[in-house]
Amino acid sequence: MAEPVANAAAPAPAPGRLRNAFGGVLCAFTLILIGVLAFSIRLFSVIKYESVIHEFDPYFNFRVTQFLSKNGIYEFWNWFDDRTWYPLGRVIGGTVYPGLTLTAGSIWWFVNALNIPLSVETVCVFTAPIFSAIASWATYLLTKEAKGTGAGLMAAAILAMVPSYISRSVAGSYDNEAVAIFALVFTFYLYVKTLNTGSLFYATLNALSYFYMVCSWGGYTFIINLIPMHVLLCIVTGRYSSRLYIAYAPLVILGTLLAALVPVVGFNAVLTSEHFASFLVFIILHVVAFVYYIKGLLTPRLFKMAMTLVITVGLAVCFAVVAILVALVASSPTKGWSGRSLSLLDPTYASKYIPIIASVSEHQPPTWPSYFMDINVLAFLVPAGIISCFLPLSDASSFMVLYLVTAVYFSGVMVRLMLVLAPAACILSGIALSSAFDVLTRSMKFQLSKLFDDGPAISGNGSPNGSSASTVNTSSSKNEKTEKSEAAPKEKQSKKNRRKDKEVTESVSVKPKKEKRLSVLPLEASIVSTLLLIALGGFYVVHCVWAAAEAYSAPSIVLTSRSREGLHVFDDFREAYAWLSHNTDVDDKVASWWDYGYQTTAMANRTVIVDNNTWNNTHIATVGTAMSSPEKAAWEIFDSLDVKYVLVVFGGLVGYPSDDINKFLWMVRIGGGEFPHIKEPDYLRDGQYRVDAQATPTMLNCLMYKLCYYRFVETDGKGFDRVRGYEIGKKHFKLTHFEEVFTTHHWMVRIYKLKPQKNRIRGKLKKLKSQSSKTSSTLAAGRKKNPWQ
Amino acid sequence: MAAPRVLLLLAAAALLAVSSVGDASGEGPRGRKLLVLVDDLAVRSSHSAFFGSLQARGLDLEFRLADDPKLSLHRYDHSASDLIRGIATECGVDFDEDPEAMVIDHINYASSEVEGDHTLIAGDDLIQSDVILGSKKIEAPVLFRGIGHAANPSNSLVLKVLSASPSAYSANPEAKLASVPSLTGSAISLVSVMQARNNARVLISGSLDLFSNRFLKSGVQKAGSKMSHDKAGNEQFVTETSKWVFHERGHLKAVNVKHHKVGETNEPSMYRINDDLEYSVEIYEWSGTSWKPYVADDVQIQFFMMSPYVLKNMSTDKTAVYSASFKVPDVYGVFQFKVEYQRLGYTGLSLAKQIPVRPYRHDEYERFITSAFPYYAASFSTMGAFFIFSVAYLYHK
């Protein structure tokens, strides 16, 4: 798009070129600053806490990266991990999206090749901030394609600090989304770029970028559905062009071939319903291209005849194909859709059928405040951006609108997909702000020049504000271009066609002096509006920095709380994992709810039964059943899985709300889904979940209750649970099949060992009991004071 | 660590319990030191034949009174009989609650000169086990006089070695029978053994006399039977059962577990699906003096992941080596080589060795599939045709 800019400055060649160069340098400098901003705003977590990996999934990614850096890519590719999902194991190489790991591994390898001895952990911690800087540059490119440099810079700056993205990409948050958002935006950029230029080179790059996205994140299906939708939109609105064909057809073919190379996707790229839309649109695109081709060959009358013929035949074939597809798809139980995709299409699907998806907090629908929290003022700017996109509507800007609309829908289904919405919101807000500033500064300049100099008003158009003027120019020229290219199929050779396009652009951009005498606002209104917009931006920046510093930086393995005495640090998780790694045998199996699986394997290096990769529902249900069963049944389940230790997370002492008792109903539901003898109503008193004196006996006797509240009454004498806010129901009890081996400082993690089977089987003890009742009663008296000895 | 064995002899409670606790270590499975607890040191002479046979087998006996203050057994503040009852209950054996009760059998009693109260039982309902009772059959009935006990049938660890006949019952012979006796018939066990899960062995008998010189030496004639034995089966019975209790027989050990791929010798850390592998283990039995190869044809190997995927009898070559070779199933995961060998009278063997099984590597699949040759031909011919087409299209005027 450099050409139109140069052309805009054409009337005054020498100073224009200088200004242009200056603009370019300024733009580059701004971009660098935006990159620095994006990187540094994500460092709060390192500064406030420490340089650690955060949360759950990042620990797995970290472990995989360690393995990769130690054993090389082929070992990683073929890695069969026998330390998770015992005894099933997991083929890591074939079930993981390798993009993030390979990226970080390459960075580590590269840095070490330069003799900079960074640890793998350091590289992993800082991968996300680095990629958010790159993502904001990609946003700049994408927005620039749609609405010019000004909007691009604006959007990049907004994206650099949008809280929704920060929440997933602070230093230490080493998750797929960290690189996937960059890949997403960059793929869209290349698509729009191809659409604008019709260059096969960019189309190929686009397929490669799509490949990187497929490597990185399961969210790639969003791309492979959004782009076909846009293509369809273009066709339906009569915007078919050869550029559209070049932008789409290579992407489908190359992209699908490349996607099938990723082991975790494999044949899914052609077998699952998520990808069918792209193939369908691919067929439609060809039909449309063929129709345009025939139209060019025949006379209108003949064409009409041919059209009816083709449409009848085409429809018949289409029906046949669709019928076959439907039959194929309907034959599979999930209709060819994966559970997660289904829960996107039907938001109530997961809660009805797949508790394991519904149980994850980030799969819940978001609340309204979370929109304000995550995208803040962008929520108000986006509508303005949509309007701006329609003035005028180009292929690129229609893509932005479509992207936004779909992303808003998806974010409404799952709070996690707020992340996909964030770039769209940033781009449209950038466009909105840029257009607004454009109008305001132009009218200010116009009014000022009228005020100080009653000379010719033309100088106002001479655009000292180079970029904004050129924006108008660009868009208008683009408009021309699309109009022109609709007629394009008449030309036979697309190569020439494109050259022609360029000529048209050049000719267009010289002439439109008259059109640009657009709406001009009064000076005062412009100044006030500008100030207000700047204030709005300032508010946004303040909010973002607050969110980055306070809300989204906590690593969740180290917790802090402020009290009157000062900052209090809860480092119980690492304490527990360190205990496990120092005090248990290397092949011991540790059972816990799946949330802690990744951390246990990564930090304690112990085999776990289930982990956060929830691929086997039955196995998770088995653990859920054990946790919901009485002690003996639970012991038998765990023993059959060779479990040695059981780990529970308990927040009742310090008031940590996301503990196992609060997650327990999900264990019951998931367990009951596979093993019907576990029934949810048994754990609820009148539909209410409670663990106080009103709780049901099943609840008070299940393993989870016992492991969490064992000896709890010792702490304060009453057994007051600070999360639930009441005293627990059953305070004094003993464990027969489990023994407590470790409880962390704040009781947040408690580890129990399975007692071995009794060496002897006792007899009935008839008379002895009555005889010894005297002694046992004295024992019982002593027990009141300290029942645990 | 070989803990000292405890032999409890308590005349007042008229029962005898032999227990040995310890661990297989050193050469033999058990140490040679034995503690004998007695209520009355006279037992030492009245049972000298039995003790003598033990000493002849190399055991080192130490006699103590049950109320010896130096013994830490004393911390339980019970009488000696309660203590024995407690131990028996711990082992899953319940003595008749009435301490005065004895086993009475009006049909299968041993006839003697005086028509007594039929408490001298001539027991011949012995357990069918060569391991516990020795390979030589005990022909003569075993004399028994004392209290009876019962074991819960669901208790898999306790075995009734000498059971009472169906006509027996347990009651106080001095008192009148007021109600139906709680223990009757063949549910009454006269002598039981218990092998704990850690393979410790305990023998519980309600009769101290069973071990006495008098019973060992005396002859026996079962009431109503013509056959008269000039020597009761007691001597053979106590010798053989004591051999079993002191781990001189029926104690197995498994060593040298090896597994490797067929054709290799090194033990891999991981197998691949469909590998062929060989597994071998050596099993020995303690003969009292040395480890002898154990020969059986029913030792099985399991290749186990939640359930056995392979279950196979192992063949043995009479030199204690058991081996089996099989193909790893077409399922990957963390498997275990399991040998679970539980046989009556023998110590349990349960070996488990974890071994992961991985799927094929990316380069272990067939490179070219014969049936796919048409597709290869199709793709290469398409490529060639496209190339020719491009050349023709670009350079043909």
Side-chain angles (χ1 to χ4, degrees):
Chain A
M1 287 291 103
E3 271 176 75
V5 178
N7 283 319
R17 196 161 292 155
L18 189 67
R19 192 184 295 130
N20 225 10
F22 178 69
V25 170
L26 194 65
C27 176
F29 191 62
T30 314
L31 279 177
I32 291 173
L33 284 183
I34 287 173
V36 171
L37 170 69
F39 183 79
S40 50
I41 200 172
R42 286 166 169 82
L43 298 186
F44 278 109
S45 59
V46 173
I47 294 161
K48 287 183 70 178
Y49 297 90
E50 55 189 298
S51 175
V52 285
I53 308 284
H54 289 194
E55 298 203 324
F56 304 108
D57 288 22
Y59 269 96
F60 170 73
N61 296 326
F62 170 53
R63 179 163 165 257
V64 175
T65 315
Q66 272 183 320
F67 184 89
L68 170 71
S69 59
K70 210 164 120 192
N71 298 302
I73 182 148
Y74 279 109
E75 287 303 312
F76 165 55
W77 191 274
N78 292 305
W79 184 16
F80 174 70
D81 186 4
D82 56 351
R83 303 192 74 79
T84 62
W85 290 96
Y86 181 86
L88 307 170
R90 178 184 170 194
V91 186
I92 300 268
T95 56
V96 79
Y97 286 100
L100 174 78
T101 318
L102 290 178
T103 308
S106 316
I107 295 176
W108 178 83
W109 173 84
F110 178 73
V111 165
N112 273 268
L114 293 178
N115 287 326
I116 304 174
L118 286 184
S119 70
V120 177
E121 189 178 2
T122 313
V123 172
C124 292
V125 165
F126 291 102
T127 300
I130 291 171
F131 269 81
S132 24
I134 303 178
S136 49
W137 294 332
T139 310
Y140 162 75
L141 291 172
L142 174 58
T143 321
K144 191 182 135 206
E145 276 308 306
K147 282 286 175 183
T149 319
L153 287 176
M154 207 70 220
I158 293 173
L159 183 100
M161 48 190 172
V162 64
S164 168
Y165 186 26
I166 286 181
S167 72
R168 291 319 191 98
S169 62
V170 293
S173 183
Y174 178 57
D175 210 347
N176 289 337
E177 291 92 330
V179 297
I181 291 303
F182 154 72
L184 181 85
V185 175
F186 196 65
T187 309
F188 286 155
Y189 157 67
L190 285 168
Y191 170 69
V192 173
K193 181 85 183 170
T194 324
L195 202 54
N196 280 343
T197 58
S199 148
L200 204 51
F201 171 68
Y202 283 115
T204 316
L205 281 189
N206 189 16
L208 288 177
S209 170
Y210 173 67
F211 176 53
Y212 184 66
M213 177 70 190
V214 179
C215 283
S216 304
W217 197 30
Y220 76 91
T221 45
F222 181 61
I223 295 184
I224 205 61
N225 283 301
L226 179 62
I227 289 181
M229 274 167 77
H230 180 248
V231 171
L232 207 59
L233 183 78
C234 284
I235 291 172
V236 168
T237 55
R239 288 172 163 274
Y240 172 79
S241 64
S242 53
R243 290 174 290 107
L244 186 68
Y245 185 86
I246 289 172
Y248 186 66
L251 174 68
V252 171
I253 299 300
L254 281 179
T256 304
L257 280 177
L258 288 170
L261 292 181
V262 182
V264 62
V265 179
F267 281 108
N268 284 348
V270 287
L271 287 181
T272 57
S273 298
E274 283 92 339
H275 305 81
F276 283 175
S278 62
F279 301 135
L280 198 66
V281 171
F282 185 72
I283 295 169
I284 293 172
L285 187 70
H286 277 89
V287 170
V288 170
F290 185 68
V291 167
Y292 273 98
Y293 176 70
I294 299 288
K295 207 176 176 180
L297 282 183
L298 302 176
T299 62
R301 214 173 64 83
L302 264 177
F303 175 71
K304 217 172 179 184
M305 272 171 57
M307 198 65 179
T308 40
L309 186 75
V310 164
I311 282 180
T312 38
V313 172
L315 277 182
V317 171
C318 271
F319 272 121
V321 169
V322 167
I324 291 170
L325 273 183
V326 166
L328 271 179
V329 167
S331 66
S332 87
T334 58
K335 310 281 175 267
W337 294 83
S338 68
R340 282 198 174 83
S341 311
L342 271 181
S343 59
L344 277 182
L345 298 177
D346 172 13
T348 58
Y349 180 82
S351 53
K352 270 189 287 189
Y353 300 109
I354 324 174
I356 202 144
I357 291 181
S359 76
V360 182
S361 63
E362 60 182 26
H363 290 166
Q364 307 289 344
T367 51
W368 282 115
S370 71
Y371 276 94
F372 189 74
M373 176 72 193
D374 276 359
I375 56 175
N376 201 242
V377 301
L378 307 187
F380 312 117
L381 288 172
V382 159
I386 295 178
I387 294 170
S388 176
C389 277
F390 279 97
L391 301 169
L393 187 69
S394 64
D395 289 349
S397 61
S398 67
F399 180 73
M400 297 305 157
V401 175
L402 193 66
Y403 175 21
L404 179 89
V405 171
T406 46
V408 165
Y409 170 72
F410 287 135
S411 73
V413 177
M414 265 190 201
V415 66
R416 174 156 104 132
L417 294 178
M418 196 74 101
L419 191 62
V420 175
L421 171 66
C426 291
I427 290 166
L428 285 172
S429 308
I431 291 171
L433 277 180
S434 162
S435 313
F437 278 125
D438 203 9
V439 171
L440 295 174
T441 49
R442 183 152 27 81
S443 32
M444 264 154 78
K445 203 179 303 153
F446 183 74
Q447 304 284 13
L448 282 174
S449 63
K450 242 188 3 190
L451 213 66
F452 293 115
D453 171 26
D454 37 341
I458 306 146
S459 66
N461 289 334
S463 67
N465 182 350
S467 69
S468 66
S470 70
T471 312
V472 179
N473 241 338
T474 322
S475 48
S476 61
S477 68
K478 225 180 279 163
N479 210 14
E480 286 288 313
K481 211 170 25 168
T482 35
E483 276 168 29
K484 186 69 197 163
S485 55
E486 264 168 51
K490 280 178 189 159
E491 257 89 19
K492 279 180 193 167
Q493 281 160 320
S494 64
K495 244 195 254 171
K496 277 184 189 166
N497 183 12
R498 211 194 312 154
R499 214 169 290 148
K500 182 113 186 176
D501 263 356
K502 273 183 194 164
E503 283 160 25
V504 172
T505 345
E506 279 161 31
S507 65
V508 165
S509 53
V510 187
K511 67 181 175 192
K513 296 287 169 186
K514 275 179 284 163
E515 298 172 20
K516 275 203 299 175
R517 206 178 289 272
L518 292 169
S519 53
V520 173
L521 295 172
L523 181 62
E524 297 76 15
S526 337
I527 293 175
V528 170
S529 311
T530 313
L531 289 179
L532 282 179
L533 279 182
I534 290 173
L536 190 69
F539 178 71
Y540 174 70
V541 171
V542 169
H543 172 79
C544 290
V545 173
W546 172 82
E550 299 294 332
Y552 290 139
S553 285
S556 96
I557 55 159
V558 186
L559 306 165
T560 56
S561 79
R562 260 177 236 285
S563 63
R564 259 164 290 153
E565 296 101 66
L567 196 68
H568 200 87
V569 179
F570 301 90
D571 203 359
D572 287 37
F573 287 106
R574 289 193 290 183
E575 186 187 350
Y577 294 132
W579 185 89
L580 275 178
S581 74
H582 286 111
N583 295 285
T584 59
D585 190 70
V586 77
D587 277 332
D588 282 347
K589 283 86 190 167
V590 181
S592 64
W593 190 233
W594 56 264
D595 295 21
Y596 315 105
Y598 277 164
Q599 291 182 348
T600 309
T601 36
M603 284 201 260
N605 190 22
R606 291 296 172 270
T607 309
V608 295
I609 306 299
V610 292
D611 68 22
N612 310 45
N613 173 268
T614 51
W615 66 274
N616 188 322
N617 196 28
T618 315
H619 224 50
I620 293 183
T622 308
V623 174
T625 306
M627 293 295 191
S628 338
S629 302
E631 221 183 308
K632 186 161 194 297
W635 186 92
E636 278 161 11
I637 293 174
F638 281 140
D639 188 59
S640 72
L641 291 168
D642 298 330
V643 168
K644 262 290 207 23
Y645 296 91
V646 181
L647 178 151
V648 293
V649 171
F650 171 63
L653 186 71
V654 290
Y656 170 63
S658 55
D659 64 350
D660 278 348
I661 289 286
N662 274 1
K663 292 171 187 171
F664 180 63
L665 265 196
W666 288 111
M667 305 184 200
V668 174
R669 272 175 213 155
I670 293 171
E674 296 277 337
F675 304 99
H677 68 277
I678 303 286
K679 295 185 197 71
E680 192 178 338
D682 293 348
Y683 298 84
L684 303 175
R685 173 74 71 194
D686 305 326
Q688 270 192 315
Y689 176 63
R690 54 203 310 167
V691 290
D692 58 1
Q694 303 281 307
T696 60
T698 321
M699 179 69 220
L700 294 181
N701 282 314
C702 73
L703 183 71
M704 181 49 80
Y705 179 90
K706 285 193 166 179
L707 296 192
C708 281
Y709 292 114
Y710 179 60
R711 295 201 306 122
F712 181 54
V713 70
E714 274 179 30
T715 55
D716 59 355
K718 296 199 301 274
F720 184 80
D721 186 320
R722 290 175 63 180
V723 174
R724 267 59 64 175
Y726 44 66
E727 284 184 28
I728 57 172
K730 194 165 149 190
K731 298 173 184 174
H732 303 276
F733 55 87
K734 284 213 272 185
L735 296 173
T736 46
H737 295 89
F738 294 82
E739 60 180 326
E740 183 187 9
V741 287
F742 187 68
T743 294
T744 56
H745 186 226
H746 301 100
W747 285 47
M748 280 168 61
V749 184
R750 313 194 68 187
I751 301 170
Y752 293 83
K753 189 177 183 177
L754 269 77
K755 280 187 190 165
Q757 216 177 357
K758 274 221 167 123
N759 196 24
R760 302 174 298 264
I761 301 172
R762 278 180 65 91
K764 275 171 283 186
L765 190 77
K766 284 174 213 154
K767 205 167 182 180
L768 195 65
K769 199 187 260 170
S770 61
Q771 270 186 351
S772 65
S773 64
K774 180 179 56 187
T775 47
S776 66
S777 69
T778 56
L779 266 177
R783 207 173 283 150
K784 288 248 167 64
K785 270 177 251 139
N786 192 355
W788 324 113
Q789 299 291 306
Chain B
M1 293 288 284
R5 305 177 198 176
V6 185
L7 173 68
L8 296 161
L9 285 172
L10 292 123
L15 62 92
L16 174 142
V18 182
S19 158
S20 68
V21 185
D23 215 325
S25 68
E27 289 185 343
R30 291 289 179 265
R32 311 305 292 166
K33 283 186 81 175
L34 197 62
L35 174 68
V36 184
L37 284 185
V38 290
D39 267 1
D40 182 358
L41 283 173
V43 172
R44 198 171 169 173
S45 52
S46 66
H47 292 63
S48 59
F50 175 55
F51 294 134
S53 77
L54 293 183
Q55 275 163 332
R57 297 215 306 269
L59 289 163
D60 183 7
L61 305 190
E62 183 170 353
F63 289 84
R64 288 288 180 83
L65 286 173
D67 52 0
D68 191 323
K70 285 182 203 150
L71 291 171
S72 54
L73 285 168
H74 250 280
R75 67 179 168 174
Y76 298 101
D77 203 20
H78 300 304
S79 66
S81 73
D82 277 344
L83 176 66
I84 293 303
R85 262 176 199 282
I87 289 174
T89 311
E90 277 295 329
C91 297
V93 166
D94 298 305
F95 279 106
D96 194 321
E97 287 168 37
D98 182 1
E100 305 295 317
M102 293 180 95
V103 181
I104 304 168
D105 194 329
H106 296 300
I107 295 169
N108 292 304
Y109 58 93
S111 51
S112 53
E113 299 79 42
V114 285
E115 180 68 13
D117 46 11
H118 299 165
T119 54
L120 181 62
I121 313 286
D124 52 4
D125 188 2
L126 293 163
I127 191 169
Q128 298 295 317
S129 167
D130 287 356
V131 191
I132 297 174
L133 295 179
S135 49
K136 190 159 162 271
K137 195 171 181 302
I138 300 175
E139 301 288 346
V142 178
L143 290 172
F144 178 95
R145 177 184 279 142
I147 188 167
H149 59 259
N152 190 344
S154 68
N155 187 336
S156 57
L157 303 177
V158 175
L159 297 171
K160 293 198 287 188
V161 178
L162 181 60
S163 307
S165 74
S167 55
Y169 65 96
S170 172
N172 186 352
E174 308 293 326
K176 252 187 152 178
L177 205 53
S179 59
V180 179
S182 56
L183 286 176
T184 53
S186 49
I188 301 176
S189 173
L190 306 176
V191 178
S192 296
V193 293
M194 194 278 285
Q195 179 167 283
R197 291 204 170 90
N198 70 349
N199 291 330
R201 287 171 177 174
V202 179
L203 182 140
I204 296 163
S205 159
S207 162
L208 183 59
D209 292 341
L210 191 140
F211 300 87
S212 67
N213 295 355
R214 195 159 64 84
F215 278 24
L216 259 53
K217 298 273 157 42
S218 76
V220 63
Q221 185 180 12
K222 207 168 168 181
S225 161
K226 295 275 174 311
M227 270 249 284
S228 161
H229 303 269
D230 35 315
K231 213 174 158 204
N234 287 35
E235 184 170 10
Q236 197 185 348
F237 180 78
V238 298
T239 313
E240 296 300 333
T241 50
S242 69
K243 274 186 184 166
W244 182 83
V245 165
F246 296 132
H247 288 266
E248 286 164 30
R249 198 166 51 220
H251 189 102
L252 302 178
K253 76 164 179 182
V255 289
N256 267 339
V257 174
K258 280 185 203 151
H259 59 87
H260 53 80
K261 277 190 215 172
V262 170
E264 293 177 18
T265 49
N266 289 336
E267 187 172 299
S269 61
M270 191 181 260
Y271 285 103
R272 195 195 65 190
I273 53 173
N274 295 331
D275 269 348
D276 288 300
L277 66 84
E278 276 171 13
Y279 176 91
S280 68
V281 61
E282 289 172 29
I283 302 178
Y284 295 94
E285 182 183 2
W286 180 249
S287 68
T289 49
S290 65
W291 290 103
K292 295 268 168 57
Y294 174 72
V295 181
D297 57 358
D298 56 355
V299 185
Q300 288 181 323
I301 172 76
Q302 300 176 32
F303 201 55
F304 183 93
M305 180 176 77
M306 295 171 96
S307 61
Y309 279 72
V310 173
L311 179 62
K312 207 173 175 188
N313 268 5
M314 290 201 282
S315 54
T316 176
D317 57 355
K318 317 280 180 208
T319 61
V321 182
Y322 286 79
S323 66
S325 71
F326 56 88
K327 190 188 261 305
V328 176
D330 195 4
V331 177
Y332 55 79
V334 184
F335 280 81
Q336 282 173 326
F337 289 113
K338 265 196 176 181
V339 175
E340 287 286 342
Y341 191 68
Q342 313 287 350
R343 288 293 176 276
L344 181 71
Y346 286 102
T347 54
L349 282 184
S350 82
L351 310 175
K353 189 166 190 182
Q354 181 175 318
I355 186 86
V357 173
R358 65 170 171 82
Y360 287 118
R361 286 174 62 93
H362 69 284
D363 52 0
E364 284 174 337
Y365 293 98
E366 274 179 285
R367 192 71 190 88
F368 294 102
I369 308 167
T370 322
S371 55
F373 271 113
Y375 298 99
Y376 303 144
S379 51
F380 281 106
S381 61
T382 310
M383 281 189 239
F386 184 72
F387 182 74
I388 294 166
F389 168 76
S390 312
V391 170
Y393 184 79
L394 290 174
Y395 297 105
H396 181 71
K397 296 289 167 189

